[in-house]
């Protein structure tokens, strides 16, 4: 019994040490960087990560893609961004399993690269060096 009381006391003190005494509202000095949502797109069962390139040679329409919902500051009182539906397009000369372009608005395309790609293949480097 005495051993279980000591164990319970030890666990209680550990759990208190793991809780935060501050809340997001306590950040009065502005030292914490503001989080942001990454540009992530889901298409054809794959996850793609956004790049800065917007001037990419697009080919045929591949179908629907989705930018998942994002709420980078869940306790700020707003509901964040809902999911965005868009169209995926082939990037000329690049396998869609590597990269696609997406359009949220007609005529405005953004390059997104599969998150499994560790190094850009030569055909995609040509596209990114042009932009």
């Amino acid at each position: 019994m005495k051993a279980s009381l000591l164990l319970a006391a030890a666990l209680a003190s550990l759990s208190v040490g793991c809780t935060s005494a501050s809340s997001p509202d306590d950040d009065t000095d502005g030292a914490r960087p503001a989080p942001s949502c990454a540009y992530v797109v889901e298409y054809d069962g794959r996850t793609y990560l956004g790049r800065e390139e917007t001037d990419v040679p697009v080919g045929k329409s591949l179908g629907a893609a989705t930018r998942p919902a994002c709420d980078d500051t869940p306790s700020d009182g707003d509901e964040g961004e809902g999911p965005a539906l868009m169209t995926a397009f082939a990037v000329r000369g690049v396998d869609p399993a590597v990269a696609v372009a997406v359009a949220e608005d007609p005529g405005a395309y953004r390059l997104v690269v599969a998150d499994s790609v560790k190094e850009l293949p030569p055909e995609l480097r040509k596209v990114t060096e042009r932009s």
Side-chain angles (χ1 to χ4, degrees):
M1 171 103 173
K2 189 172 187 176
S4 62
L5 288 176
L6 287 173
L7 180 59
L11 291 175
S13 67
L14 286 176
S15 67
V16 169
C18 292
T19 60
S20 173
S22 64
S23 72
D25 297 331
D26 293 341
D27 188 23
T28 56
D29 64 358
R32 273 188 234 147
S36 65
C37 292
Y39 196 91
V40 176
V41 173
E42 295 170 351
Y43 165 72
D44 196 29
R46 290 186 278 290
T47 300
Y48 294 80
L49 304 175
R51 300 214 5 141
E52 296 300 316
E53 291 85 3
T54 56
D55 181 26
V56 294
V58 295
K60 68 177 182 168
S61 172
L62 298 173
T66 304
R67 184 165 181 223
C70 176
D71 187 3
D72 61 355
T73 51
S75 62
D76 70 349
D78 76 13
E79 295 183 20
E81 300 173 18
L85 300 177
M86 56 190 69
T87 302
F89 291 86
V91 176
R92 278 187 249 140
V94 178
D95 182 348
V98 172
V100 296
V102 292
E104 290 179 319
D105 299 311
Y109 304 98
R110 183 168 182 174
L111 180 66
V112 291
V113 176
D115 69 347
S116 61
V117 173
K118 303 301 177 210
E119 185 175 327
L120 296 181
E123 64 273 13
L124 189 53
R125 277 198 307 264
K126 289 178 188 174
V127 170
T128 60
E129 289 170 359
R130 279 192 16 213
S131 295

